[in-house]
Amino acid sequence: MKERIETLISTSAIEKRMDELAEVINKDYAGEELYLVCVLKGGVFFMVELAKRITVPVTLNFMDVSSYGNGTESSGHIKILMDLDESIEGKNVLIVEDIVDSGRTLSHLVELLKSRKPKSLKLCTLLDKPERRVTEVEVHYTGFTIPDAFVVGYGLDYAQRYRNLNYIGVISFEEE
Ligand code: 5GP
């Protein structure tokens, strides 16, 4: 099968949107400290670029949560592969995700982190596919709402590839 990638969101559109999101976040957290929790691996590119635009005091941490296998369909199976290495009690936690799809991963993660008593807990995602939602999850900051298609780039993979694309593309498969 040949893989074809068609641009859905350009690099410049992503950069412009991140400027806008950061402006809102900087206002919302004015006078506060912000603790970003990146969901590996897909959230890394977005988190790094967003963090560069944050002007309030910010610290970063990482979690690895599994939801998808090597295909394009959710397994519905959630597992914490790597946990935070410190307490989030009393902190203003902002989860940074690449995409919210069925919502299963995030709703699970939100419940887990809430139980650790942060001062506040919000969610920021680069992409949202609301049509695919199975589990309700409150998203506070959204980069782009996209249609139901499997996308790659800007941290998002297909079988671990294409994360390094600096744009978001829709992947399709053709017979060779
Ligand atoms: P959810 O639990 O919301 O269904 O899935 C969230 C996770 O599924 C994301 O963090 C991402 O890893 C993966 N995912 C969902 N939709 C897509 C997609 O269109 N492309 C890629 N590459 N991963 C996706």
Side-chain angles (χ1 to χ4, degrees):
M1 291 284 248
K2 205 171 151 208
E3 291 157 17
R4 227 174 83 92
I5 297 171
E6 232 174 283
T7 304
L8 180 67
I9 308 168
S10 68
T11 308
S12 57
I14 297 171
E15 285 173 351
K16 183 171 171 278
R17 187 70 188 121
M18 286 190 302
D19 288 344
E20 292 167 356
L21 281 179
E23 206 182 315
V24 178
I25 292 170
N26 287 329
K27 273 195 194 129
D28 289 355
Y29 290 91
E32 299 277 344
E33 287 192 24
L34 184 56
Y35 189 90
L36 299 182
V37 171
C38 172
V39 184
L40 294 171
K41 299 170 187 158
V44 169
F45 289 71
F46 178 43
M47 190 232 236
V48 168
E49 291 304 320
L50 188 69
K52 287 184 200 168
R53 293 163 166 84
I54 301 288
T55 50
V56 298
V58 64
T59 45
L60 321 176
N61 215 324
F62 301 88
M63 279 185 93
D64 195 358
V65 183
S66 83
S67 57
Y68 271 63
N70 277 346
T72 59
E73 277 302 307
S74 172
S75 64
H77 178 72
I78 309 292
K79 213 164 124 188
I80 304 291
L81 300 175
M82 190 187 92
D83 209 338
L84 299 171
D85 57 8
E86 59 190 348
S87 165
I88 55 164
E89 194 170 337
K91 294 180 176 158
N92 289 307
V93 176
L94 181 60
I95 301 172
V96 182
E97 252 287 23
D98 50 0
I99 191 164
V100 184
D101 186 32
S102 72
R104 286 192 191 103
T105 313
L106 264 303
S107 62
H108 180 84
L109 194 59
V110 164
E111 284 318 305
L112 176 75
L113 295 186
K114 257 188 196 162
S115 72
R116 297 180 183 178
K117 302 187 175 64
K119 182 175 178 188
S120 66
L121 181 63
K122 286 190 181 182
L123 175 58
C124 177
T125 185
L126 177 60
L127 305 174
D128 189 3
K129 282 199 274 192
E131 280 172 54
R132 298 258 307 169
R133 203 71 94 249
V134 172
T135 310
E136 216 34 69
V137 54
E138 193 182 354
V139 183
H140 303 86
Y141 306 102
T142 303
F144 300 91
T145 298
I146 61 165
D148 178 11
F150 194 80
V151 291
V152 294
Y154 226 89
L156 289 144
D157 73 307
Y158 171 68
Q160 297 303 326
R161 287 181 292 120
Y162 303 119
R163 291 191 196 276
N164 59 325
L165 298 180
N166 60 0
Y167 61 92
I168 305 285
V170 175
I171 189 162
S172 57
F173 306 92
E174 292 165 357
E175 298 283 350
E176 288 198 72

